[in-house]
Amino acid sequence: MFRKNCGKTMTPTSVHDIFIICLFIFSRFARGLEDCRSGMYPPKGPTFKSNVSWYTVDLDLPPSERWTQVIKDKNTELITMVRTIKDLANGFFNGKLVDLVDGALPLIVDTLPHPFNEEIKGIAAISGIPLGEITLFNIFYEVFTVCTSVVAEDLNGNIYHARNLDFGLFMGWDQQNKTWTLTEKLKPLVVNVNFQRGNKTVFKSTNFAGYVGILTGIRPGEFSLTVNERFNVDGGYVGILEWILGWRDGMWMGFLTRKVLENATSYEDVKDQLSQTKLLAPAYFILGGNRTGQGCVITRTRINTLDIWELDMKLGRWYVLETNYDHWEKPLIFDDRRTPAMKCMNQTTQANISLSSIYNVLSTKPVLNKLTTYTSLMEVSTGTLESYIRDCPNPCTPW
Ligand SMILES: *[C@@H]1O[C@H](CO)[C@@H](O)[C@H](O)[C@H]1NC(C)=O
Ligand SMILES: *[C@@H]1O[C@H](CO)[C@@H](O)[C@H](O)[C@H]1NC(C)=O
Ligand SMILES: *[C@@H]1O[C@H](CO)[C@@H](O)[C@H](O)[C@H]1NC(C)=O
Ligand SMILES: *[C@@H]1O[C@H](CO)[C@@H](O)[C@H](O)[C@H]1NC(C)=O
Ligand SMILES: *[C@@H]1O[C@H](CO)[C@@H](O)[C@H](O)[C@H]1NC(C)=O
Ligand SMILES: *[C@@H]1O[C@H](CO)[C@@H](O)[C@H](O)[C@H]1NC(C)=O
Ligand SMILES: *[C@@H]1O[C@H](CO)[C@@H](O)[C@H](O)[C@H]1NC(C)=O
């Protein structure tokens, strides 16, 4: 499918590289900036595809039984998605990657921390999907999520936290429908999950069925948390490779976020854990709290923390916004979602910030793009988590 765009027969890896470069160049010309949107909320119209349904995960159950209902409902979609990922992986390294997945990953699942190992095994058993493939599926999101996250404070000290999750694998462009096949296949897997103990909500998340980590979550009344991918030379691949080779002192980021949502009880505690735990891959953690000034972006390498960028009303910093670039550096010119998002935040003003006005910002292209899978809106004080599946009809840039 890439060959058509960029000519000649090449090894799959270099075809992929060239394909991405073609797209980058293309998107510089195609990127149309649009005026900040208004009146988009409540979500409706062509950029809103559907609501996300709610499930309960009972943390009092044995880990292997927790996801039964979710998997039963989403099994067809999950099988399709896993097969698509596997087909794509097959194109790399002459299929050796798939051998690795089927051979080595089932063994590696046992080295994952509890309860994740048991939950993944449970999901494999219920879905009938081989264990190695479900494990791959869980690793997948650690590597391929490109996002926009924002934490903002209104004039009353209320903290809002919102994000667009863009599924950032630039593969499977569907020429007919002008969409990314993988992104489209992922949309039906989005679920809202209410994690309970003793029949009471502990935290809530927006998840992909089959994935046991957390990319978007809220602990009502206490804090909210999102993760954005951070691309870096010492990137995820190095850490993941180390982990596969048996050097396992780093933590998967989606597991760390779930751990703090499940067991940490304050903004400060979460901030410390997210800054100090060794990770498998670099990341940005975006954290919101329950009172004025509690909002930050934590820029992580695998080993340490480069920077914590916090709300500061005295400096007039009433929001912090993170895409996929260090906030003190310029974003890549062909992927600048930050400037348009900030322009719209600035236009909205602190006096008029709300979940509804942030939804407008996240509905403005290119903050909304072809890769955008869902938009989540969270408000810590009320415990609100709302998520919406998005579409970006043409004209719309690939990212
Ligand atoms: C989505 O949910 C909202 C609020 O619950 C409801 O008003 C709306 O009709 C739903 N939309 C669709 C397309 O299901
Ligand atoms: C385009 O979308 C339609 C409707 O969703 C679908 O039936 C068709 O298979 C898609 N085309 C391709 C090439 O996937
Ligand atoms: C939760 O509620 C169900 C029925 O509503 C009850 O059977 C169960 O014992 C409750 N669990 C706990 C831990 O309270
Ligand atoms: C949270 O703490 C409980 C009790 O110590 C433990 O059983 C559970 O595995 C922890 N959750 C995570 C995700 O680490
Ligand atoms: C904010 O969170 C802290 C720590 O979890 C908690 O003690 C406090 O009661 C919360 N404040 C409000 C207003 O909910
Ligand atoms: C938004 O406002 C901030 C603070 O005044 C300013 O630093 C930034 O340059 C503005 N950004 C845009 C894109 O308008
Ligand atoms: C504030 O936001 C509301 C809803 O998003 C909008 O209708 C209104 O025009 C905005 N007011 C200002 C002053 O921007």
Side-chain angles (χ1 to χ4, degrees):
M1 86 196 105
F2 309 135
R3 273 156 239 246
K4 222 188 295 167
N5 291 311
C6 295
K8 300 198 201 92
T9 318
M10 288 179 248
T11 65
T13 318
S14 69
V15 170
H16 177 246
D17 293 344
I18 305 263
F19 175 67
I20 287 187
I21 293 163
C22 291
L23 267 171
F24 277 172
I25 294 166
F26 162 76
S27 78
R28 287 188 60 173
F29 295 108
R31 183 179 292 291
L33 296 183
E34 73 178 350
D35 290 339
C36 299
R37 303 311 306 266
S38 62
M40 302 296 285
Y41 190 92
K44 58 185 175 300
T47 66
F48 164 68
K49 187 180 171 81
S50 59
N51 286 331
V52 178
S53 41
W54 280 95
Y55 289 87
T56 298
V57 164
D58 183 353
L59 296 169
D60 295 323
L61 286 175
S64 61
E65 293 167 27
R66 291 176 184 167
W67 295 96
T68 307
Q69 194 57 50
V70 176
I71 301 304
K72 277 190 174 153
D73 285 5
K74 299 289 183 181
N75 209 17
T76 314
E77 292 86 351
L78 184 59
I79 289 169
T80 308
M81 183 67 187
V82 169
R83 191 185 300 132
T84 309
I85 294 176
K86 207 178 148 182
D87 289 348
L88 284 171
N90 232 333
F92 288 89
F93 314 117
N94 304 317
K96 291 211 176 57
L97 196 60
V98 172
D99 295 344
L100 178 77
V101 167
D102 285 333
L105 287 184
L107 306 174
I108 272 169
V109 79
D110 281 321
T111 68
L112 291 175
H114 188 86
F116 305 108
N117 51 358
E118 297 302 322
E119 290 186 13
I120 290 175
K121 283 186 201 170
I123 289 168
I126 299 156
S127 64
I129 297 171
L131 185 54
E133 290 169 27
I134 287 290
T135 310
L136 176 68
F137 182 79
N138 272 271
I139 294 173
F140 216 64
Y141 299 113
E142 300 272 333
V143 189
F144 294 116
T145 37
V146 187
C147 311
T148 304
S149 291
V150 58
V151 178
E153 176 171 335
D154 69 10
L155 291 172
N156 301 319
N158 265 330
I159 310 285
Y160 306 95
H161 187 164
R163 77 117 95 239
N164 271 1
L165 188 134
D166 304 347
F167 184 57
L169 190 64
F170 312 111
M171 287 180 102
W173 180 253
D174 172 354
Q175 186 57 33
Q176 184 189 344
N177 292 327
K178 305 265 188 296
T179 53
W180 296 100
T181 312
L182 269 184
T183 306
E184 293 312 305
K185 294 211 158 96
L186 195 54
K187 288 177 183 175
L189 288 176
V190 180
V191 290
N192 286 327
V193 183
N194 187 339
F195 289 85
Q196 299 192 331
R197 268 193 210 114
N199 288 339
K200 286 209 188 69
T201 299
V202 181
F203 67 104
K204 302 194 275 194
S205 77
T206 299
N207 261 62
F208 299 117
Y211 178 61
V212 299
I214 308 270
L215 302 172
T216 306
I218 181 169
R219 207 167 147 108
E222 291 171 2
F223 61 89
S224 54
L225 177 58
T226 58
V227 194
N228 288 13
E229 179 90 356
R230 180 166 179 262
F231 304 103
N232 196 272
V233 259
D234 178 27
Y237 314 101
V238 180
I240 289 165
L241 214 61
E242 278 182 10
W243 178 79
I244 289 174
L245 295 174
W247 187 11
R248 305 202 176 105
D249 56 344
M251 183 96 167
W252 294 96
M253 73 181 180
F255 293 171
L256 177 60
T257 46
R258 166 124 175 233
K259 186 175 167 223
V260 298
L261 279 157
E262 216 170 293
N263 288 336
T265 51
S266 74
Y267 176 83
E268 293 300 335
D269 181 15
V270 176
K271 202 164 98 183
D272 288 347
Q273 290 196 45
L274 295 180
S275 323
Q276 288 162 15
T277 309
K278 193 177 168 197
L279 296 173
L280 279 181
Y284 300 101
F285 294 114
I286 300 90
L287 178 62
N290 67 8
R291 59 186 163 79
T292 177
Q294 287 189 333
C296 65
V297 175
I298 302 172
T299 303
R300 284 292 314 260
T301 68
R302 293 197 291 138
I303 316 293
N304 51 26
T305 294
L306 294 183
D307 179 75
I308 300 182
W309 189 36
E310 298 193 81
L311 293 178
D312 191 333
M313 296 317 122
K314 284 196 217 85
L315 296 178
R317 197 188 295 142
W318 59 274
Y319 70 88
V320 286
L321 188 141
E322 179 57 55
T323 58
N324 299 90
Y325 306 98
D326 297 347
H327 70 84
W328 60 92
E329 306 264 17
K330 278 210 180 78
L332 291 182
I333 190 153
F334 47 73
D335 179 29
D336 185 5
R337 285 160 286 130
R338 184 204 291 167
T339 309
M342 286 182 70
K343 184 184 107 192
C344 297
M345 289 298 287
N346 289 358
Q347 258 180 40
T348 304
T349 74
Q350 190 182 7
N352 207 19
I353 206 71
S354 63
L355 292 186
S356 142
S357 57
I358 296 178
Y359 186 83
N360 287 332
V361 175
L362 294 180
S363 301
T364 303
K365 290 178 244 183
V367 185
L368 179 77
N369 56 66
K370 288 283 186 201
L371 290 167
T372 305
T373 309
Y374 67 78
T375 298
S376 289
L377 307 173
M378 299 185 279
E379 187 176 352
V380 175
S381 60
T382 58
T384 305
L385 167 65
E386 295 172 8
S387 292
Y388 304 98
I389 309 291
R390 305 306 299 266
D391 265 339
C392 191
N394 289 327
C396 177
T397 50
W399 63 79

